[in-house]
Amino acid sequence: MGKVYYISKNIGIGLLVLGFIALATIIALSIAYDKERAKNKVKPGDGALESTSTPALPTTAFTPKEPWDRYRLPDSIIPVSYNVTLWPRLQPNAQGLYIFTGRSSVIFGCMKETDLIIIHCSKLNLTTTSSGYHVKLNSLGHAPAPTIRSTWLVVKTEYLVVLLQQKLQAGSKYELEAEFVGELADDLQGFYRSEYMQDGVKKVVATSQMQATHARKTFPCFDEPAMKAVFSVTIIHSPDTVALSNGKETDITDSLIDGVRVKVTTFEPTERMSTYVLAFIVCDFAEIQSNQNNLLIRIWAQRKAIADKQGDYALNVTGPILQFYEHYYNTTYPLSKSDQIALPDFHAGAMENWGLVTYRETALLYDPILSSTGNKERVTTVIAHELAHMWFGNLVTLQWWNDLWLNEGFASYVEYLGADYAEPTWNIKDQIILYDVQKVFAVDALASSHPLSRPEDEVNEPAQISEMFNTISYSKGAAVIRMLSEFLTEPVFAQGLSSYLNTFAFGNTVYTDLWVHLQQAVENTPGVQIPHSVDDIMNRWTLQMGFPVVTIDTRTGSITQNHFLLDPDSVVDRPSQFNYTWFVPIKWIKTGVEQQQYWLLQKTDTYHPMRVSGSDWILANTNVSGYFRVNYDLDNWNRLLSILNLNHQELSVINRAQIIDDAFNLARAKMISTTLALKTTKYLFKERDYIPWESFLRNLDYYTLMFDRTEVYGALQAYLKQQIQPLFEYFQTVTENWTRVPTIHTDQYNQINAIGIACNVGVDGCRELIKGWYRQWMDNQDHNPIHPNLKSTVYCTAIAFGGAEEWNFAWRMFKNSTLASEASRLRSAMACTKLPWLLNRYLEYTLDPTKIRKQDATSTIQYIARNVVGMPLAWNFVRSRWSFIFQHYGKGSFSFSSLINGITRRFSTEFELQELEKFKEDNQHVGFGSATLALEQAIEKTTANIKWVTENEAEVLRWFTEESA
Ligand SMILES: *[C@@H]1O[C@H](CO)[C@@H](O)[C@H](O)[C@H]1NC(C)=O
Ligand SMILES: *[C@@H]1O[C@H](CO)[C@@H](O)[C@H](O)[C@H]1NC(C)=O
Ligand SMILES: *[C@@H]1O[C@H](CO)[C@@H](O)[C@H](O)[C@H]1NC(C)=O
Ligand SMILES: *[C@@H]1O[C@H](CO)[C@@H](O)[C@H](O)[C@H]1NC(C)=O
Ligand SMILES: [Zn+2]
């Protein structure tokens, strides 16, 4: 699926800075994709925390007796083509229900003699006759069609079953027809409706989301990705709307049906494709278009958005990105048009329907005046992600959902290449380190992680399929595919890819098919050598969970790999056929000089070139091209520290970030001392680049949470002040005293970090500056002088260091705001105040739907809990009203467990542990619903935090005190 972000990158960036002041979040930074985020209906910008745990799927050992009790279709019949006619009603019927009516026929071939037709069909009311459902079977051969004995629906497995008197003949073709009525609900699945206001009038859009298993809710179909077919679509709609689908419109006719004036839009038949990338839309949107080598490119959105030029940027980058992929895949764009549409209500971030990609508004629309750079980057990367799927995923499709990681991991990797082509000055390829690699390291270092690849027979039910859309699939997938491309070299990778796509065009594959084509490309390229086959190497990364930490002892040249676990006491109970060893491609540098790639193929090895002495040093995993962490002997660590301190630019930006991130995580895992980790940050007063700073701030977040109520915090702030001040002054200069926007893309992000931290720790002039801007806005509320990039940080800072006047102004602006992203910035900033009475009042507002919309209640409480002052208030609030909140807001909802997560993140004392246990006891009778697991985890994490604080507090205090003296 397209990307789903629970929270967008730039908002994440804002939050991190805020985080230091009041909010604490690392995870919220992460870009989540597709379905994974789709589970959470909280819109991006709400700061919803994404769950970091990726629970393993339960395996069911149950074998059903009847074919219709199995979740997978039998292989006796396969579809060839469909005719689908749909008529969505954008006005409710007499019962107040929004419905659609439809008619469909499917031509299928019989592969094996059978008297059963099993086809997916869910939530549809089929037209009935006295003898059952009105379905018709025709024969397309000479033999007559068997007569239908009975038809019935199976709710659990979502089938329509047609039992025949005679058998279908192998090798023959038949046609099955049905008529049905479905509800056009607002459930964001299948064919659904979305609503918005235009000039005070409610408008309704009919749109669709088929991935993974919702096409069956729109018309009866063989709803599995390998059941590809050609679809001829006709949509009946009211004359003042347009209809869109995967193919180009071929005919639009005015007609009168049942006395109703309608338009009938017919579309060209699709290519052979999977049901999950179908799309049907009826709306009254506007569009802008361009034509590139006879390819029609259109961007659709609400009329006002198009008039405000919010679609222009998407249109500008789509052509170049498509061109890039045509070249990269060495395959022309397979369709005759490319539509992209921004929908007011959309579950995921975007969805790669073939030829008609659907997006959340924030993932496609960019307002040249009101949007931030982060908004722009999100638009570019989401488009690049979705368009990558037009070939990889849509033209060639994985056989089954168990291989989803390859589809999504691949798109999540190449989106950086596509975006880089569209915006070559952004250096966006480097950012994969922050947004995918380091992000998934955090999840995949837990004993509860799971392998990328799962056996096909373990993924059957829709819920199990949904579970595949998680961080591991997207981000670890991206990281290991990037590693593969790095060790094969980009030209070999691209060659194998192109031959894979050409071979399997319009067909289906399993992931090993890609390995075969990459292997051939290796063999066709003299000079490229790998120590084992692509298959053997990759199996170790895809079939076992986790990743290694490679320890290099530069005194002896010995190299060892171990399964990296963040908690050294955690117990891994998932066996691995490879005993948690990997084939590790190690790119490395000796004293500034790049060396030949070395492969670690055993648990330990001795490699003499890595033995160094004197002032020589080694840095391994250059540019984090491999999916692993690196540890060294203390001497080499110290030599790396001196490089950072003497001439940090001798190391790449990514490697500087990596040294920090590895060191902090190795310290958490007790492989190196906490002091050593802290020492990697000493050079930061000279650092001007975003990625190392960002890596540090994310790691510092845990320290902030653990210590912001202890004396350590004073010393920590003093240290940070000394480190951030030069960065703040640098931006003051670069922006000519805050009058210009930095020209370098990532500088714009780093400027946000600099201002947010500097104000928090009290760098001279910072708070005054921010208050001044905010004051100007308060004095003239129609003219907001704050640049969109800086709004989140400025609002939060101004409210944190202001009083009731600042807060009340923000509240007024929040209530008046017509722009969703602005409202959500304000909502989060209002949680930054340090005045308990304001925070308590704000908490009360969250239970008043006229003040805070129900869907935003839990995330608002979370924002308040991230504030060190707000945390105990939120905890008391939630505890005292648990049963009320639980009944009215949370039952079964995902955001409810993140509420528990959010509130307890700082918990690190025995007293808090007791409170948590008491809370659990006291509310057993009410229950915890989806927060049950979260509560258990909170107890476990609190226990771990207590231990970590006990072991580290004194050392951390001493270090910060000495360094800031
Ligand atoms: C779809 O309709 C067209 C035109 O009415 C017809 O030629 C074609 O055979 C139909 N296909 C199916 C699958 O019914
Ligand atoms: C389908 O039938 C059920 C039972 O008669 C009815 O409650 C429901 O409203 C129908 N749905 C539609 C969309 O007509
Ligand atoms: C789109 O491209 C045009 C022509 O190059 C340019 O003038 C315009 O500023 C671009 N729009 C956006 C939003 O980038
Ligand atoms: C591109 O495709 C053509 C044929 O489809 C093939 O001959 C050529 O080798 C491919 N180029 C690369 C770089 O893979
Ligand atoms: Zn995707």
Short mmCIF file of all heavy atoms in Angstrom, two decimals, residues 93 97-100 125 181-184, ligand 2:
data_model
loop_
_atom_site.label_atom_id
_atom_site.label_comp_id
_atom_site.label_asym_id
_atom_site.label_seq_id
_atom_site.Cartn_x
_atom_site.Cartn_y
_atom_site.Cartn_z
N ASN A 93 -30.55 7.19 0.90
CA ASN A 93 -31.85 6.71 0.46
C ASN A 93 -32.90 6.95 1.54
O ASN A 93 -32.62 7.59 2.56
CB ASN A 93 -31.78 5.23 0.05
CG ASN A 93 -31.45 4.32 1.23
OD1 ASN A 93 -31.49 4.74 2.38
ND2 ASN A 93 -31.13 3.07 0.94
N LEU A 97 -29.59 5.62 4.28
CA LEU A 97 -28.38 4.85 4.01
C LEU A 97 -27.76 5.29 2.68
O LEU A 97 -28.48 5.50 1.70
CB LEU A 97 -28.78 3.38 3.90
CG LEU A 97 -27.79 2.31 4.34
CD1 LEU A 97 -27.39 2.51 5.79
CD2 LEU A 97 -28.43 0.93 4.13
N TYR A 98 -26.46 5.45 2.66
CA TYR A 98 -25.78 5.67 1.39
C TYR A 98 -25.48 4.29 0.79
O TYR A 98 -24.91 3.44 1.47
CB TYR A 98 -24.46 6.41 1.60
CG TYR A 98 -24.62 7.87 1.96
CD1 TYR A 98 -24.82 8.25 3.27
CD2 TYR A 98 -24.54 8.85 0.98
CE1 TYR A 98 -24.96 9.59 3.62
CE2 TYR A 98 -24.66 10.20 1.31
CZ TYR A 98 -24.88 10.56 2.63
OH TYR A 98 -25.00 11.88 2.96
N ILE A 99 -25.86 4.10 -0.45
CA ILE A 99 -25.66 2.77 -1.03
C ILE A 99 -25.01 2.86 -2.40
O ILE A 99 -24.88 3.94 -2.98
CB ILE A 99 -27.00 2.01 -1.20
CG1 ILE A 99 -27.92 2.79 -2.16
CG2 ILE A 99 -27.69 1.78 0.13
CD1 ILE A 99 -28.90 1.89 -2.89
N PHE A 100 -24.58 1.73 -2.90
CA PHE A 100 -24.26 1.63 -4.33
C PHE A 100 -24.90 0.37 -4.84
O PHE A 100 -25.09 -0.60 -4.10
CB PHE A 100 -22.75 1.63 -4.57
CG PHE A 100 -21.99 0.48 -3.96
CD1 PHE A 100 -21.73 -0.67 -4.70
CD2 PHE A 100 -21.52 0.55 -2.66
CE1 PHE A 100 -21.01 -1.73 -4.13
CE2 PHE A 100 -20.81 -0.51 -2.08
CZ PHE A 100 -20.56 -1.66 -2.82
N ASN A 125 -25.27 -7.23 -0.48
CA ASN A 125 -26.57 -7.90 -0.53
C ASN A 125 -26.80 -8.30 -1.98
O ASN A 125 -27.01 -7.45 -2.84
CB ASN A 125 -27.69 -6.96 -0.07
CG ASN A 125 -27.66 -6.75 1.43
OD1 ASN A 125 -26.87 -7.37 2.14
ND2 ASN A 125 -28.52 -5.87 1.90
N VAL A 181 -26.29 -5.01 -4.01
CA VAL A 181 -26.37 -3.68 -3.39
C VAL A 181 -25.38 -3.68 -2.24
O VAL A 181 -25.29 -4.65 -1.50
CB VAL A 181 -27.78 -3.41 -2.81
CG1 VAL A 181 -27.86 -2.01 -2.26
CG2 VAL A 181 -28.85 -3.65 -3.86
N GLY A 182 -24.65 -2.58 -2.12
CA GLY A 182 -23.72 -2.50 -1.00
C GLY A 182 -23.89 -1.16 -0.31
O GLY A 182 -24.49 -0.24 -0.86
N GLU A 183 -23.37 -1.07 0.89
CA GLU A 183 -23.45 0.21 1.58
C GLU A 183 -22.20 1.03 1.28
O GLU A 183 -21.08 0.53 1.34
CB GLU A 183 -23.60 0.01 3.10
CG GLU A 183 -23.86 1.35 3.78
CD GLU A 183 -23.90 1.29 5.30
OE1 GLU A 183 -23.97 0.18 5.86
OE2 GLU A 183 -23.87 2.38 5.90
N LEU A 184 -22.43 2.30 0.96
CA LEU A 184 -21.31 3.22 0.77
C LEU A 184 -21.05 3.85 2.14
O LEU A 184 -21.45 4.98 2.41
CB LEU A 184 -21.73 4.27 -0.27
CG LEU A 184 -20.67 5.05 -1.01
CD1 LEU A 184 -19.81 4.13 -1.86
CD2 LEU A 184 -21.31 6.11 -1.89
C1 LIG B 2 -28.62 -5.58 3.26
O1 LIG B 2 -29.62 -6.38 3.85
C2 LIG B 2 -29.73 -6.20 5.25
C3 LIG B 2 -30.75 -7.22 5.77
O2 LIG B 2 -31.92 -7.14 5.03
C4 LIG B 2 -30.17 -4.77 5.53
O3 LIG B 2 -30.23 -4.56 6.92
C5 LIG B 2 -29.14 -3.83 4.93
O4 LIG B 2 -29.53 -2.49 5.12
C6 LIG B 2 -28.94 -4.11 3.46
N1 LIG B 2 -27.86 -3.29 2.96
C7 LIG B 2 -28.01 -2.47 1.92
C8 LIG B 2 -26.83 -1.69 1.53
O5 LIG B 2 -29.04 -2.37 1.31
#
